[in-house]
Amino acid sequence: MPGREYRGRKNFLRRLTRDMWRPGFAMLTAEAPDLVGYAFGFPVPRDGSWWSGFRGTLPKDVEQLTASGQVFAISGMVVRHSERHQGLADRLQERLLADHRALLGATLVDRTHRAACAGFQSRGWLNIGLVYRPPGPAVLRALVLPHGEPTAAEPSW
């Protein structure tokens, strides 16, 4: 489709620029020796606004970890195709979460992007529901990744 690459680049730059201004923004790059991947994100605000548009009831554990400032959103991740089965995405997400002492990773993925959803879920991310957030993709899949020290009770998600 003509212009698809341009629109994809434009959307990426808009999202990156928006996220760079969020408190606690972080970005990691991987080079070998050229750029082979990157991941970026930010701490989810304690007020729960990041979950705006969530359909149903947000799992209690997610709500509590959000309020305590222990959730980090991974809002962008790309790994070169040749590196996808080398664990690079796992290492990037692990480092972002560890650097921010997050007990929960969170991301929103366009639910029609099946490959992205499957990729996250194959790396241990759990589907907790749907978020409706116009403009943009009408429906996003909310995924979380438990991280760090286990809690006394099993997570409810």
Side-chain angles (χ1 to χ4, degrees):
M1 171 184 267
R4 183 176 179 182
E5 184 176 319
Y6 171 75
R7 282 190 301 279
R9 183 175 188 273
K10 185 177 174 183
N11 289 338
F12 163 76
L13 291 173
R14 182 176 32 241
R15 190 173 71 246
L16 177 61
T17 301
R18 180 194 66 221
D19 287 353
M20 285 174 54
W21 289 99
R22 294 179 189 262
F25 172 83
M27 181 173 197
L28 295 174
T29 60
E31 300 173 9
D34 297 323
L35 182 68
V36 293
Y38 62 83
F40 59 88
F42 51 89
V44 170
R46 291 175 183 236
D47 65 5
S49 59
W50 194 77
W51 300 106
S52 167
F54 188 86
R55 292 300 184 238
T57 304
L58 190 64
K60 188 174 214 88
D61 296 26
V62 173
E63 189 175 348
Q64 290 171 342
L65 288 170
T66 299
S68 69
Q70 296 177 307
V71 180
F72 190 83
I74 295 182
S75 57
M77 183 179 321
V78 172
V79 174
R80 187 182 288 171
H81 186 72
S82 62
E83 301 292 321
R84 288 199 181 149
H85 300 288
Q86 308 301 318
L88 180 57
D90 293 334
R91 291 191 305 278
L92 288 169
Q93 75 189 16
E94 167 66 28
R95 178 74 183 271
L96 278 174
L97 297 177
D99 285 355
H100 289 84
R101 295 186 174 98
L103 294 181
L104 188 70
T107 195
L108 300 175
V109 180
D110 180 344
R111 79 168 177 179
T112 64
H113 198 315
R114 295 176 200 262
C117 290
F120 276 102
Q121 289 178 304
S122 73
R123 293 191 316 276
W125 290 75
L126 307 170
N127 175 12
I128 61 166
L130 298 175
V131 172
Y132 293 76
R133 193 179 289 165
V139 184
L140 302 165
R141 189 160 308 285
L143 303 169
V144 295
L145 180 68
H147 181 264
E149 298 175 18
T151 59
E154 278 295 311
S156 62
W157 54 77

mmCIF file of all heavy atoms in Angstrom, residues 7-56:
data_model
loop_
_atom_site.group_PDB
_atom_site.id
_atom_site.type_symbol
_atom_site.label_atom_id
_atom_site.label_comp_id
_atom_site.label_asym_id
_atom_site.label_seq_id
_atom_site.Cartn_x
_atom_site.Cartn_y
_atom_site.Cartn_z
ATOM 1 N N ARG A 7 3.534 6.497 6.827
ATOM 2 C CA ARG A 7 2.572 6.634 7.923
ATOM 3 C C ARG A 7 3.051 5.891 9.164
ATOM 4 O O ARG A 7 2.893 6.367 10.280
ATOM 5 C CB ARG A 7 1.185 6.151 7.491
ATOM 6 C CG ARG A 7 0.446 7.167 6.631
ATOM 7 C CD ARG A 7 -0.993 6.770 6.415
ATOM 8 N NE ARG A 7 -1.159 5.481 5.760
ATOM 9 C CZ ARG A 7 -1.066 5.274 4.455
ATOM 10 N NH1 ARG A 7 -0.786 6.275 3.647
ATOM 11 N NH2 ARG A 7 -1.250 4.072 3.951
ATOM 12 N N GLY A 8 3.648 4.714 8.982
ATOM 13 C CA GLY A 8 4.176 3.961 10.117
ATOM 14 C C GLY A 8 5.281 4.734 10.810
ATOM 15 O O GLY A 8 5.325 4.808 12.043
ATOM 16 N N ARG A 9 6.168 5.328 10.045
ATOM 17 C CA ARG A 9 7.266 6.119 10.612
ATOM 18 C C ARG A 9 6.725 7.354 11.315
ATOM 19 O O ARG A 9 7.145 7.691 12.421
ATOM 20 C CB ARG A 9 8.239 6.524 9.506
ATOM 21 C CG ARG A 9 9.443 7.283 9.999
ATOM 22 C CD ARG A 9 10.435 7.538 8.850
ATOM 23 N NE ARG A 9 11.655 8.089 9.337
ATOM 24 C CZ ARG A 9 11.862 9.398 9.515
ATOM 25 N NH1 ARG A 9 10.912 10.254 9.225
ATOM 26 N NH2 ARG A 9 13.027 9.830 9.963
ATOM 27 N N LYS A 10 5.758 7.999 10.691
ATOM 28 C CA LYS A 10 5.155 9.199 11.266
ATOM 29 C C LYS A 10 4.460 8.871 12.591
ATOM 30 O O LYS A 10 4.616 9.595 13.573
ATOM 31 C CB LYS A 10 4.156 9.793 10.273
ATOM 32 C CG LYS A 10 3.560 11.098 10.692
ATOM 33 C CD LYS A 10 2.654 11.627 9.599
ATOM 34 C CE LYS A 10 1.926 12.869 10.056
ATOM 35 N NZ LYS A 10 0.993 13.338 9.030
ATOM 36 N N ASN A 11 3.724 7.783 12.641
ATOM 37 C CA ASN A 11 3.054 7.367 13.884
ATOM 38 C C ASN A 11 4.067 7.032 14.972
ATOM 39 O O ASN A 11 3.879 7.374 16.138
ATOM 40 C CB ASN A 11 2.132 6.175 13.632
ATOM 41 C CG ASN A 11 0.910 6.556 12.838
ATOM 42 O OD1 ASN A 11 0.519 7.721 12.794
ATOM 43 N ND2 ASN A 11 0.316 5.581 12.176
ATOM 44 N N PHE A 12 5.153 6.328 14.595
ATOM 45 C CA PHE A 12 6.203 6.000 15.561
ATOM 46 C C PHE A 12 6.810 7.280 16.141
ATOM 47 O O PHE A 12 6.957 7.407 17.366
ATOM 48 C CB PHE A 12 7.301 5.155 14.908
ATOM 49 C CG PHE A 12 8.566 5.135 15.716
ATOM 50 C CD1 PHE A 12 8.663 4.359 16.860
ATOM 51 C CD2 PHE A 12 9.655 5.918 15.348
ATOM 52 C CE1 PHE A 12 9.820 4.362 17.627
ATOM 53 C CE2 PHE A 12 10.819 5.926 16.108
ATOM 54 C CZ PHE A 12 10.900 5.141 17.250
ATOM 55 N N LEU A 13 7.165 8.226 15.292
ATOM 56 C CA LEU A 13 7.794 9.460 15.765
ATOM 57 C C LEU A 13 6.850 10.267 16.655
ATOM 58 O O LEU A 13 7.272 10.850 17.654
ATOM 59 C CB LEU A 13 8.277 10.301 14.584
ATOM 60 C CG LEU A 13 9.455 9.709 13.821
ATOM 61 C CD1 LEU A 13 9.746 10.528 12.565
ATOM 62 C CD2 LEU A 13 10.686 9.611 14.702
ATOM 63 N N ARG A 14 5.566 10.278 16.326
ATOM 64 C CA ARG A 14 4.585 10.978 17.154
ATOM 65 C C ARG A 14 4.493 10.319 18.541
ATOM 66 O O ARG A 14 4.505 10.990 19.561
ATOM 67 C CB ARG A 14 3.227 10.988 16.456
ATOM 68 C CG ARG A 14 2.172 11.744 17.232
ATOM 69 C CD ARG A 14 0.821 11.867 16.536
ATOM 70 N NE ARG A 14 0.487 10.770 15.695
ATOM 71 C CZ ARG A 14 0.274 10.854 14.374
ATOM 72 N NH1 ARG A 14 0.392 12.015 13.755
ATOM 73 N NH2 ARG A 14 -0.071 9.793 13.671
ATOM 74 N N ARG A 15 4.431 8.980 18.571
ATOM 75 C CA ARG A 15 4.342 8.254 19.838
ATOM 76 C C ARG A 15 5.618 8.440 20.669
ATOM 77 O O ARG A 15 5.561 8.696 21.871
ATOM 78 C CB ARG A 15 4.073 6.772 19.579
ATOM 79 C CG ARG A 15 3.728 5.989 20.837
ATOM 80 C CD ARG A 15 3.311 4.567 20.537
ATOM 81 N NE ARG A 15 4.443 3.766 20.104
ATOM 82 C CZ ARG A 15 4.596 3.251 18.888
ATOM 83 N NH1 ARG A 15 3.696 3.421 17.971
ATOM 84 N NH2 ARG A 15 5.664 2.537 18.589
ATOM 85 N N LEU A 16 6.779 8.328 20.020
ATOM 86 C CA LEU A 16 8.047 8.504 20.729
ATOM 87 C C LEU A 16 8.158 9.915 21.304
ATOM 88 O O LEU A 16 8.521 10.086 22.475
ATOM 89 C CB LEU A 16 9.231 8.217 19.799
ATOM 90 C CG LEU A 16 10.621 8.435 20.394
ATOM 91 C CD1 LEU A 16 10.858 7.520 21.587
ATOM 92 C CD2 LEU A 16 11.684 8.214 19.325
ATOM 93 N N THR A 17 7.819 10.918 20.520
ATOM 94 C CA THR A 17 7.888 12.304 20.990
ATOM 95 C C THR A 17 6.962 12.518 22.180
ATOM 96 O O THR A 17 7.343 13.129 23.184
ATOM 97 C CB THR A 17 7.531 13.272 19.849
ATOM 98 O OG1 THR A 17 8.451 13.067 18.773
ATOM 99 C CG2 THR A 17 7.591 14.715 20.311
ATOM 100 N N ARG A 18 5.743 11.985 22.116
ATOM 101 C CA ARG A 18 4.797 12.110 23.229
ATOM 102 C C ARG A 18 5.349 11.426 24.483
ATOM 103 O O ARG A 18 5.346 11.993 25.567
ATOM 104 C CB ARG A 18 3.456 11.488 22.827
ATOM 105 C CG ARG A 18 2.400 11.559 23.924
ATOM 106 C CD ARG A 18 1.219 10.656 23.640
ATOM 107 N NE ARG A 18 1.673 9.276 23.687
ATOM 108 C CZ ARG A 18 1.294 8.331 22.841
ATOM 109 N NH1 ARG A 18 0.468 8.597 21.863
ATOM 110 N NH2 ARG A 18 1.753 7.097 22.961
ATOM 111 N N ASP A 19 5.850 10.214 24.314
ATOM 112 C CA ASP A 19 6.330 9.457 25.471
ATOM 113 C C ASP A 19 7.592 10.051 26.080
ATOM 114 O O ASP A 19 7.791 9.965 27.294
ATOM 115 C CB ASP A 19 6.571 7.992 25.086
ATOM 116 C CG ASP A 19 5.276 7.230 24.883
ATOM 117 O OD1 ASP A 19 4.189 7.786 25.157
ATOM 118 O OD2 ASP A 19 5.343 6.077 24.429
ATOM 119 N N MET A 20 8.440 10.659 25.268
ATOM 120 C CA MET A 20 9.680 11.248 25.788
ATOM 121 C C MET A 20 9.406 12.319 26.839
ATOM 122 O O MET A 20 10.243 12.560 27.710
ATOM 123 C CB MET A 20 10.505 11.850 24.654
ATOM 124 C CG MET A 20 11.208 10.817 23.817
ATOM 125 S SD MET A 20 12.051 11.509 22.366
ATOM 126 C CE MET A 20 13.067 12.756 23.103
ATOM 127 N N TRP A 21 8.266 12.946 26.779
ATOM 128 C CA TRP A 21 7.926 14.013 27.712
ATOM 129 C C TRP A 21 7.288 13.485 28.995
ATOM 130 O O TRP A 21 7.032 14.236 29.924
ATOM 131 C CB TRP A 21 7.008 15.032 27.045
ATOM 132 C CG TRP A 21 7.764 15.824 26.041
ATOM 133 C CD1 TRP A 21 7.796 15.627 24.690
ATOM 134 C CD2 TRP A 21 8.647 16.904 26.292
ATOM 135 N NE1 TRP A 21 8.642 16.524 24.094
ATOM 136 C CE2 TRP A 21 9.173 17.324 25.062
ATOM 137 C CE3 TRP A 21 9.051 17.567 27.460
ATOM 138 C CZ2 TRP A 21 10.082 18.380 24.966
ATOM 139 C CZ3 TRP A 21 9.945 18.623 27.348
ATOM 140 C CH2 TRP A 21 10.445 19.013 26.113
ATOM 141 N N ARG A 22 7.044 12.186 29.070
ATOM 142 C CA ARG A 22 6.439 11.613 30.280
ATOM 143 C C ARG A 22 7.523 11.471 31.357
ATOM 144 O O ARG A 22 8.651 11.092 31.066
ATOM 145 C CB ARG A 22 5.839 10.250 29.979
ATOM 146 C CG ARG A 22 4.659 10.317 29.018
ATOM 147 C CD ARG A 22 4.154 8.908 28.757
ATOM 148 N NE ARG A 22 3.176 8.852 27.706
ATOM 149 C CZ ARG A 22 1.862 8.815 27.890
ATOM 150 N NH1 ARG A 22 1.377 8.846 29.113
ATOM 151 N NH2 ARG A 22 1.043 8.751 26.868
ATOM 152 N N PRO A 23 7.149 11.752 32.615
ATOM 153 C CA PRO A 23 8.127 11.598 33.705
ATOM 154 C C PRO A 23 8.660 10.160 33.762
ATOM 155 O O PRO A 23 7.892 9.206 33.654
ATOM 156 C CB PRO A 23 7.303 11.922 34.963
ATOM 157 C CG PRO A 23 6.157 12.753 34.472
ATOM 158 C CD PRO A 23 5.860 12.244 33.087
ATOM 159 N N GLY A 24 9.965 10.027 33.913
ATOM 160 C CA GLY A 24 10.585 8.711 34.046
ATOM 161 C C GLY A 24 10.817 7.972 32.735
ATOM 162 O O GLY A 24 11.223 6.814 32.746
ATOM 163 N N PHE A 25 10.615 8.643 31.600
ATOM 164 C CA PHE A 25 10.815 7.995 30.289
ATOM 165 C C PHE A 25 12.208 7.378 30.219
ATOM 166 O O PHE A 25 13.184 7.956 30.693
ATOM 167 C CB PHE A 25 10.649 9.006 29.158
ATOM 168 C CG PHE A 25 11.036 8.457 27.809
ATOM 169 C CD1 PHE A 25 10.141 7.707 27.077
ATOM 170 C CD2 PHE A 25 12.306 8.678 27.290
ATOM 171 C CE1 PHE A 25 10.493 7.188 25.834
ATOM 172 C CE2 PHE A 25 12.672 8.161 26.058
ATOM 173 C CZ PHE A 25 11.765 7.412 25.332
ATOM 174 N N ALA A 26 12.296 6.192 29.635
ATOM 175 C CA ALA A 26 13.587 5.531 29.433
ATOM 176 C C ALA A 26 13.568 4.803 28.094
ATOM 177 O O ALA A 26 12.523 4.308 27.664
ATOM 178 C CB ALA A 26 13.854 4.535 30.553
ATOM 179 N N MET A 27 14.732 4.748 27.467
ATOM 180 C CA MET A 27 14.875 4.040 26.192
ATOM 181 C C MET A 27 16.191 3.277 26.214
ATOM 182 O O MET A 27 17.213 3.809 26.640
ATOM 183 C CB MET A 27 14.858 4.996 25.018
ATOM 184 C CG MET A 27 14.968 4.324 23.672
ATOM 185 S SD MET A 27 14.741 5.532 22.334
ATOM 186 C CE MET A 27 14.417 4.451 20.969
ATOM 187 N N LEU A 28 16.121 2.032 25.778
ATOM 188 C CA LEU A 28 17.316 1.199 25.643
ATOM 189 C C LEU A 28 17.491 0.842 24.182
ATOM 190 O O LEU A 28 16.508 0.606 23.471
ATOM 191 C CB LEU A 28 17.162 -0.100 26.431
ATOM 192 C CG LEU A 28 17.051 0.008 27.938
ATOM 193 C CD1 LEU A 28 16.757 -1.361 28.535
ATOM 194 C CD2 LEU A 28 18.342 0.555 28.519
ATOM 195 N N THR A 29 18.741 0.783 23.748
ATOM 196 C CA THR A 29 19.032 0.320 22.397
ATOM 197 C C THR A 29 20.007 -0.840 22.476
ATOM 198 O O THR A 29 20.784 -0.952 23.426
ATOM 199 C CB THR A 29 19.640 1.440 21.520
ATOM 200 O OG1 THR A 29 20.856 1.881 22.118
ATOM 201 C CG2 THR A 29 18.672 2.601 21.354
ATOM 202 N N ALA A 30 19.940 -1.695 21.481
ATOM 203 C CA ALA A 30 20.870 -2.823 21.383
ATOM 204 C C ALA A 30 21.575 -2.709 20.040
ATOM 205 O O ALA A 30 20.932 -2.537 19.003
ATOM 206 C CB ALA A 30 20.114 -4.145 21.483
ATOM 207 N N GLU A 31 22.884 -2.813 20.082
ATOM 208 C CA GLU A 31 23.694 -2.699 18.872
ATOM 209 C C GLU A 31 24.635 -3.880 18.771
ATOM 210 O O GLU A 31 25.136 -4.363 19.782
ATOM 211 C CB GLU A 31 24.496 -1.405 18.903
ATOM 212 C CG GLU A 31 23.630 -0.176 18.987
ATOM 213 C CD GLU A 31 24.427 1.092 19.197
ATOM 214 O OE1 GLU A 31 25.673 1.065 19.108
ATOM 215 O OE2 GLU A 31 23.795 2.117 19.456
ATOM 216 N N ALA A 32 24.859 -4.328 17.506
ATOM 217 C CA ALA A 32 25.749 -5.487 17.301
ATOM 218 C C ALA A 32 26.357 -5.486 15.897
ATOM 219 O O ALA A 32 26.113 -6.425 15.165
ATOM 220 C CB ALA A 32 24.974 -6.779 17.555
ATOM 221 N N PRO A 33 27.169 -4.624 15.432
ATOM 222 C CA PRO A 33 27.469 -3.287 15.920
ATOM 223 C C PRO A 33 26.416 -2.273 15.490
ATOM 224 O O PRO A 33 26.361 -1.173 16.023
ATOM 225 C CB PRO A 33 28.814 -2.959 15.299
ATOM 226 C CG PRO A 33 28.792 -3.675 13.994
ATOM 227 C CD PRO A 33 28.011 -4.949 14.273
ATOM 228 N N ASP A 34 25.545 -2.614 14.525
ATOM 229 C CA ASP A 34 24.470 -1.709 14.124
ATOM 230 C C ASP A 34 23.266 -1.907 15.037
ATOM 231 O O ASP A 34 23.162 -2.925 15.735
ATOM 232 C CB ASP A 34 24.056 -1.987 12.671
ATOM 233 C CG ASP A 34 25.189 -1.731 11.684
ATOM 234 O OD1 ASP A 34 25.952 -0.772 11.906
ATOM 235 O OD2 ASP A 34 25.294 -2.480 10.698
ATOM 236 N N LEU A 35 22.349 -0.957 15.000
ATOM 237 C CA LEU A 35 21.137 -1.050 15.806
ATOM 238 C C LEU A 35 20.361 -2.314 15.437
ATOM 239 O O LEU A 35 20.048 -2.543 14.269
ATOM 240 C CB LEU A 35 20.252 0.180 15.580
ATOM 241 C CG LEU A 35 18.970 0.242 16.394
ATOM 242 C CD1 LEU A 35 19.289 0.429 17.874
ATOM 243 C CD2 LEU A 35 18.092 1.377 15.904
ATOM 244 N N VAL A 36 20.083 -3.166 16.430
ATOM 245 C CA VAL A 36 19.319 -4.399 16.196
ATOM 246 C C VAL A 36 18.014 -4.411 16.987
ATOM 247 O O VAL A 36 17.170 -5.276 16.773
ATOM 248 C CB VAL A 36 20.130 -5.674 16.513
ATOM 249 C CG1 VAL A 36 21.286 -5.830 15.537
ATOM 250 C CG2 VAL A 36 20.609 -5.690 17.950
ATOM 251 N N GLY A 37 17.850 -3.454 17.890
ATOM 252 C CA GLY A 37 16.608 -3.394 18.637
ATOM 253 C C GLY A 37 16.574 -2.229 19.600
ATOM 254 O O GLY A 37 17.601 -1.634 19.900
ATOM 255 N N TYR A 38 15.374 -1.906 20.037
ATOM 256 C CA TYR A 38 15.197 -0.873 21.045
ATOM 257 C C TYR A 38 13.891 -1.121 21.779
ATOM 258 O O TYR A 38 12.993 -1.819 21.285
ATOM 259 C CB TYR A 38 15.210 0.542 20.445
ATOM 260 C CG TYR A 38 14.082 0.784 19.466
ATOM 261 C CD1 TYR A 38 12.807 1.155 19.914
ATOM 262 C CD2 TYR A 38 14.281 0.646 18.098
ATOM 263 C CE1 TYR A 38 11.772 1.365 19.031
ATOM 264 C CE2 TYR A 38 13.253 0.859 17.210
ATOM 265 C CZ TYR A 38 11.994 1.222 17.681
ATOM 266 O OH TYR A 38 10.967 1.426 16.793
ATOM 267 N N ALA A 39 13.791 -0.567 22.963
ATOM 268 C CA ALA A 39 12.563 -0.603 23.754
ATOM 269 C C ALA A 39 12.511 0.686 24.564
ATOM 270 O O ALA A 39 13.538 1.201 24.985
ATOM 271 C CB ALA A 39 12.545 -1.814 24.684
ATOM 272 N N PHE A 40 11.305 1.207 24.737
ATOM 273 C CA PHE A 40 11.159 2.410 25.545
ATOM 274 C C PHE A 40 9.833 2.382 26.288
ATOM 275 O O PHE A 40 8.927 1.631 25.945
ATOM 276 C CB PHE A 40 11.297 3.690 24.718
ATOM 277 C CG PHE A 40 10.315 3.848 23.586
ATOM 278 C CD1 PHE A 40 9.074 4.448 23.798
ATOM 279 C CD2 PHE A 40 10.633 3.425 22.312
ATOM 280 C CE1 PHE A 40 8.183 4.612 22.756
ATOM 281 C CE2 PHE A 40 9.752 3.588 21.258
ATOM 282 C CZ PHE A 40 8.517 4.184 21.479
ATOM 283 N N GLY A 41 9.782 3.191 27.342
ATOM 284 C CA GLY A 41 8.567 3.267 28.123
ATOM 285 C C GLY A 41 8.699 4.257 29.255
ATOM 286 O O GLY A 41 9.623 5.064 29.287
ATOM 287 N N PHE A 42 7.778 4.153 30.211
ATOM 288 C CA PHE A 42 7.687 5.121 31.285
ATOM 289 C C PHE A 42 6.879 4.518 32.438
ATOM 290 O O PHE A 42 6.091 3.599 32.237
ATOM 291 C CB PHE A 42 6.991 6.400 30.799
ATOM 292 C CG PHE A 42 5.687 6.111 30.106
ATOM 293 C CD1 PHE A 42 4.499 6.040 30.829
ATOM 294 C CD2 PHE A 42 5.655 5.869 28.748
ATOM 295 C CE1 PHE A 42 3.308 5.732 30.198
ATOM 296 C CE2 PHE A 42 4.465 5.563 28.106
ATOM 297 C CZ PHE A 42 3.279 5.488 28.842
ATOM 298 N N PRO A 43 7.069 5.043 33.652
ATOM 299 C CA PRO A 43 6.265 4.568 34.772
ATOM 300 C C PRO A 43 4.794 4.942 34.562
ATOM 301 O O PRO A 43 4.488 6.056 34.128
ATOM 302 C CB PRO A 43 6.840 5.317 35.983
ATOM 303 C CG PRO A 43 8.204 5.746 35.548
ATOM 304 C CD PRO A 43 8.107 5.992 34.073
ATOM 305 N N VAL A 44 3.908 4.011 34.851
ATOM 306 C CA VAL A 44 2.475 4.278 34.748
ATOM 307 C C VAL A 44 2.095 5.223 35.879
ATOM 308 O O VAL A 44 2.457 4.983 37.037
ATOM 309 C CB VAL A 44 1.672 2.960 34.825
ATOM 310 C CG1 VAL A 44 0.180 3.213 34.976
ATOM 311 C CG2 VAL A 44 1.954 2.102 33.595
ATOM 312 N N PRO A 45 1.372 6.313 35.581
ATOM 313 C CA PRO A 45 0.971 7.249 36.633
ATOM 314 C C PRO A 45 0.157 6.549 37.734
ATOM 315 O O PRO A 45 -0.688 5.702 37.447
ATOM 316 C CB PRO A 45 0.113 8.286 35.902
ATOM 317 C CG PRO A 45 0.526 8.175 34.467
ATOM 318 C CD PRO A 45 0.913 6.740 34.260
ATOM 319 N N ARG A 46 0.419 6.935 38.956
ATOM 320 C CA ARG A 46 -0.238 6.330 40.117
ATOM 321 C C ARG A 46 -1.746 6.558 40.143
ATOM 322 O O ARG A 46 -2.473 5.818 40.785
ATOM 323 C CB ARG A 46 0.355 6.871 41.412
ATOM 324 C CG ARG A 46 1.762 6.415 41.655
ATOM 325 C CD ARG A 46 2.323 7.102 42.888
ATOM 326 N NE ARG A 46 3.699 6.714 43.091
ATOM 327 C CZ ARG A 46 4.154 6.176 44.206
ATOM 328 N NH1 ARG A 46 3.360 5.990 45.226
ATOM 329 N NH2 ARG A 46 5.415 5.835 44.307
ATOM 330 N N ASP A 47 -2.201 7.593 39.455
ATOM 331 C CA ASP A 47 -3.630 7.912 39.488
ATOM 332 C C ASP A 47 -4.486 6.957 38.658
ATOM 333 O O ASP A 47 -5.712 7.059 38.642
ATOM 334 C CB ASP A 47 -3.876 9.354 39.044
ATOM 335 C CG ASP A 47 -3.507 9.615 37.582
ATOM 336 O OD1 ASP A 47 -3.132 8.672 36.842
ATOM 337 O OD2 ASP A 47 -3.587 10.788 37.174
ATOM 338 N N GLY A 48 -3.846 6.021 37.948
ATOM 339 C CA GLY A 48 -4.588 5.036 37.168
ATOM 340 C C GLY A 48 -5.071 5.533 35.823
ATOM 341 O O GLY A 48 -5.746 4.797 35.085
ATOM 342 N N SER A 49 -4.730 6.762 35.454
ATOM 343 C CA SER A 49 -5.210 7.333 34.192
ATOM 344 C C SER A 49 -4.749 6.539 32.972
ATOM 345 O O SER A 49 -5.418 6.549 31.935
ATOM 346 C CB SER A 49 -4.766 8.794 34.065
ATOM 347 O OG SER A 49 -3.344 8.887 34.117
ATOM 348 N N TRP A 50 -3.636 5.831 33.098
ATOM 349 C CA TRP A 50 -3.134 5.051 31.958
ATOM 350 C C TRP A 50 -4.109 3.946 31.584
ATOM 351 O O TRP A 50 -4.174 3.525 30.446
ATOM 352 C CB TRP A 50 -1.757 4.466 32.292
ATOM 353 C CG TRP A 50 -1.034 3.959 31.091
ATOM 354 C CD1 TRP A 50 -0.386 4.720 30.154
ATOM 355 C CD2 TRP A 50 -0.874 2.603 30.681
ATOM 356 N NE1 TRP A 50 0.175 3.910 29.205
ATOM 357 C CE2 TRP A 50 -0.114 2.602 29.501
ATOM 358 C CE3 TRP A 50 -1.288 1.393 31.198
ATOM 359 C CZ2 TRP A 50 0.237 1.448 28.837
ATOM 360 C CZ3 TRP A 50 -0.942 0.238 30.537
ATOM 361 C CH2 TRP A 50 -0.188 0.273 29.367
ATOM 362 N N TRP A 51 -4.894 3.474 32.546
ATOM 363 C CA TRP A 51 -5.862 2.399 32.304
ATOM 364 C C TRP A 51 -7.202 2.942 31.827
ATOM 365 O O TRP A 51 -8.172 2.199 31.704
ATOM 366 C CB TRP A 51 -6.049 1.564 33.570
ATOM 367 C CG TRP A 51 -4.781 0.930 34.036
ATOM 368 C CD1 TRP A 51 -4.018 1.292 35.106
ATOM 369 C CD2 TRP A 51 -4.101 -0.179 33.437
ATOM 370 N NE1 TRP A 51 -2.914 0.483 35.207
ATOM 371 C CE2 TRP A 51 -2.937 -0.435 34.191
ATOM 372 C CE3 TRP A 51 -4.362 -0.991 32.329
ATOM 373 C CZ2 TRP A 51 -2.046 -1.454 33.893
ATOM 374 C CZ3 TRP A 51 -3.469 -2.005 32.023
ATOM 375 C CH2 TRP A 51 -2.328 -2.224 32.797
ATOM 376 N N SER A 52 -7.278 4.231 31.550
ATOM 377 C CA SER A 52 -8.517 4.858 31.085
ATOM 378 C C SER A 52 -9.085 4.107 29.879
ATOM 379 O O SER A 52 -8.363 3.801 28.937
ATOM 380 C CB SER A 52 -8.205 6.312 30.699
ATOM 381 O OG SER A 52 -9.246 6.870 29.982
ATOM 382 N N GLY A 53 -10.370 3.798 29.925
ATOM 383 C CA GLY A 53 -11.028 3.076 28.841
ATOM 384 C C GLY A 53 -11.013 1.569 29.012
ATOM 385 O O GLY A 53 -11.486 0.841 28.139
ATOM 386 N N PHE A 54 -10.462 1.076 30.143
ATOM 387 C CA PHE A 54 -10.437 -0.362 30.394
ATOM 388 C C PHE A 54 -11.871 -0.848 30.537
ATOM 389 O O PHE A 54 -12.665 -0.267 31.267
ATOM 390 C CB PHE A 54 -9.638 -0.676 31.666
ATOM 391 C CG PHE A 54 -9.414 -2.145 31.887
ATOM 392 C CD1 PHE A 54 -8.342 -2.786 31.300
ATOM 393 C CD2 PHE A 54 -10.287 -2.896 32.663
ATOM 394 C CE1 PHE A 54 -8.124 -4.150 31.483
ATOM 395 C CE2 PHE A 54 -10.092 -4.257 32.861
ATOM 396 C CZ PHE A 54 -9.001 -4.885 32.258
ATOM 397 N N ARG A 55 -12.218 -1.904 29.840
ATOM 398 C CA ARG A 55 -13.568 -2.472 29.903
ATOM 399 C C ARG A 55 -13.624 -3.533 30.987
ATOM 400 O O ARG A 55 -12.776 -4.420 31.037
ATOM 401 C CB ARG A 55 -13.978 -3.075 28.561
ATOM 402 C CG ARG A 55 -14.170 -2.047 27.487
ATOM 403 C CD ARG A 55 -15.269 -1.062 27.904
ATOM 404 N NE ARG A 55 -15.542 -0.116 26.863
ATOM 405 C CZ ARG A 55 -15.440 1.195 26.995
ATOM 406 N NH1 ARG A 55 -15.048 1.714 28.123
ATOM 407 N NH2 ARG A 55 -15.716 1.994 26.005
ATOM 408 N N GLY A 56 -14.603 -3.389 31.861
ATOM 409 C CA GLY A 56 -14.732 -4.323 32.966
ATOM 410 C C GLY A 56 -14.009 -3.779 34.185
ATOM 411 O O GLY A 56 -13.739 -2.582 34.300
#
